[in-house]
């Protein structure tokens, strides 16, 4: 099995990915500076094949040292958040993530030259398709449509250019993965994030599923949603995404390719909100909602083509939205009861 360095290993997707890689028999080195949530307890702490290093992914020397003896690198570290991040931290998202990516690629190029590092798997985002006007979004569309308008989406597109440029100049092999709308447990209150008032509830996560859950748990009635609720998303379980990323790391046909990783099921925000409402309040309680003004960069439709990942990697996201919510709702409810949200 391989030795894999995962940057951003304490993050939302990173936590799922480390657990998946360990389950598949790999040795994993994780690095994170806890800038998003602060120290986070992970189920794989103490695992004999896992080593964690607290550090900053902008530190090229640190990454170069950690890559010694590694076969693969997952470039997952980033300043990331929900839609409020796009507005509150527009410059920081761009500047911080560019520095992370430059340091990551510099270290990877050096490690590849040394002979053992075989590939970098880059975590991009569905936001590279932010400006599209046709769906489903296929791999390659990101280079044919107008660039993203948000600084976050633009920088994620730049991640993909880093991957291809490092191959073009230094022959550093890559795989690009684009997770769509990750849903799961483990997402806490973000440190330093500007709080957003949604009706009578202050939010500090701004990812739609946990935000809707905590508003209902806290008794908001009617439920406040952004815009009309007709925004279309593909909510994909974190464990499924981790499996897809692991396949992209391992599969020989993934070399120098890019993949959308997502469920094939479309769900509107209003459909999601009503489903969560009835799961918490019961089927007999009428669903009540009001619409708040949407954010500027609240993309109306994100619909991926998942054919390539299915045909090349054999990847299909199998966890239903019902199953995801049955896991997330108790977790968020417990966090609210403990005052962590």
């Amino acid at each position: 099995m391989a030795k894999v360095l995962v940057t951003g290993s304490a993050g939302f997707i990173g936590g799922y990915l480390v657990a998946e890689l360990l389950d598949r028999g790999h040795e994993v080195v994780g690095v994170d500076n806890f800038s998003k949530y602060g120290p986070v307890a992970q189920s794989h702490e103490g695992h004999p094949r896992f080593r964690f290093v607290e550090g900053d992914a902008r530190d090229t020397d640190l990454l170069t040292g950690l890559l010694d003896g590694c076969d693969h690198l997952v470039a997952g570290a980033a300043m990331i958040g929900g839609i409020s991040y796009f507005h509150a931290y527009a410059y920081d998202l761009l500047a911080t993530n560019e520095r992370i990516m430059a340091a990551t690629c510099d270290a990877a190029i050096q490690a590849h030259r040394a002979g053992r590092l075989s590939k970098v798997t880059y975590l991009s985002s569905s936001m590279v398709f932010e400006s599209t006007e046709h769906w489903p979004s296929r791999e390659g569309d990101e280079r044919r449509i107008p660039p993203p308008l948000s600084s976050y989406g633009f920088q994620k597109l730049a991640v993909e250019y880093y991957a291809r440029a490092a191959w073009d100049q230094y022959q550093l092999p890559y795989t690009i993965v684009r997770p769509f709308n990750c849903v799961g447990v483990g997402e806490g209150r973000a440190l330093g994030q500007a709080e957003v008032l949604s009706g009578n509830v202050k939010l500090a996560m701004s990812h739609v599923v946990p935000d809707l859950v905590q508003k209902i748990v806290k008794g908001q009635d009617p439920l406040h949603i952004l815009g009309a609720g007709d925004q279309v998303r593909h909510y994909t379980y974190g464990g499924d995404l981790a499996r897809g990323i692991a396949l992209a790391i391992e599969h020989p046909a993934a070399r120098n390719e890019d993949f959308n990783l997502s469920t094939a099921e479309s769900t509107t925000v209003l459909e999601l909100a009503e489903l969560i409402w009835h799961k918490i309040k019961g089927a007999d309680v009428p669903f009540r909602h009001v619409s708040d003004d949407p954010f500027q960069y609240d993309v109306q439709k994100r619909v991926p083509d998942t054919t390539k990942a299915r045909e090349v990697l054999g990847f299909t996201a199998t966890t239903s939205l019902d199953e995801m919510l049955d896991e997330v709702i108790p977790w968020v409810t417990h966090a609210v009861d403990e005052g962590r949200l």
Side-chain angles (χ1 to χ4, degrees), residues 78-106:
M79 184 180 180
I80 187 171
I83 193 169
S84 67
Y85 252 51
F86 301 170
H87 300 80
Y89 300 115
Y91 174 79
D92 289 350
L93 280 168
L94 189 63
T96 300
N97 290 343
E98 284 293 289
R99 293 178 182 119
I100 290 172
M101 191 48 50
T104 301
C105 286
D106 286 347

Side-chain angles (χ1 to χ4, degrees), residues 42-337:
Q42 301 279 8
S43 61
H44 42 264
E45 289 177 9
H47 192 287
R49 284 185 278 104
F50 177 64
R51 172 190 171 209
F52 177 75
V53 176
E54 184 174 353
D56 196 318
R58 290 169 290 187
D59 186 338
T60 305
D61 291 339
L62 172 65
L63 296 184
T64 300
L66 293 177
L67 279 169
D68 184 28
C70 286
D71 303 287
H72 295 279
L73 165 63
V74 178
M79 184 180 180
I80 187 171
I83 193 169
S84 67
Y85 252 51
F86 301 170
H87 300 80
Y89 300 115
Y91 174 79
D92 289 350
L93 280 168
L94 189 63
T96 300
N97 290 343
E98 284 293 289
R99 293 178 182 119
I100 290 172
M101 191 48 50
T104 301
C105 286
D106 286 347
I109 289 165
Q110 185 171 333
H112 182 60
R113 280 174 176 164
R116 181 156 177 180
L117 183 70
S118 62
K119 191 178 72 170
V120 181
T121 299
Y122 298 83
L123 267 62
S124 181
S125 168
S126 63
M127 283 295 288
V128 301
F129 300 119
E130 179 182 351
S131 297
T132 192
E133 294 183 350
H134 65 269
W135 298 271
S137 295
R138 294 178 175 87
E139 290 86 349
D141 284 355
E142 73 285 349
R143 286 171 284 165
R144 292 187 283 265
I145 62 176
L149 297 176
S150 67
S151 63
Y152 177 76
F154 184 81
Q155 198 283 321
K156 280 300 184 183
L157 183 60
V159 167
E160 303 193 10
Y161 276 79
Y162 270 97
R164 293 188 169 95
W167 165 255
D168 289 343
Q169 185 171 351
Y170 296 104
Q171 290 71 59
L172 174 63
Y174 68 86
T175 299
I176 296 165
V177 293
R178 303 185 191 97
F180 277 69
N181 298 103
C182 181
V183 176
V185 300
E187 190 178 20
R189 174 175 288 267
L191 301 176
Q193 183 169 335
E195 288 190 322
V196 179
L197 189 64
S198 180
N200 63 330
V201 177
K202 287 185 178 180
L203 304 175
M205 289 186 294
S206 296
H207 283 120
V208 62
V209 172
D211 281 356
L212 288 172
V213 172
Q214 69 160 310
K215 284 190 287 189
I216 297 169
V217 168
K218 290 178 179 180
Q220 189 177 84
D221 187 357
L223 178 65
H224 287 246
I225 62 173
L226 290 174
D230 55 357
Q231 307 95 315
V232 177
R233 299 289 185 263
H234 279 230
Y235 301 106
T236 311
Y237 182 56
D240 286 341
L241 289 173
R243 178 168 48 84
I245 296 167
L247 286 168
I249 293 169
E250 296 169 348
H251 204 298
R255 178 184 165 107
N256 294 354
E257 294 288 350
D258 59 327
F259 300 95
N260 297 332
L261 298 181
S262 174
T263 178
E265 181 181 354
S266 294
T267 305
T268 68
V269 170
L270 197 59
E271 289 169 339
L272 172 69
E274 185 168 5
L275 182 58
I276 294 172
W277 176 279
H278 289 305
K279 278 185 173 290
I280 294 173
K281 288 182 169 288
D284 296 333
V285 179
F287 175 57
R288 292 177 289 269
H289 76 279
V290 295
S291 295
D292 293 339
D293 291 337
F295 283 108
Q296 179 183 355
Y297 300 122
D298 192 5
V299 180
Q300 289 302 298
K301 198 170 183 179
R302 291 191 222 168
V303 178
D305 188 317
T306 59
T307 304
K308 184 177 179 182
R310 183 178 68 252
E311 293 183 349
V312 177
L313 302 178
F315 170 73
T316 303
T318 57
T319 308
S320 70
L321 184 57
D322 263 331
E323 290 171 312
M324 291 181 237
L325 294 179
D326 287 343
E327 180 176 318
V328 172
I329 288 171
W331 190 91
V332 173
T333 301
H334 183 65
V336 169
D337 291 341

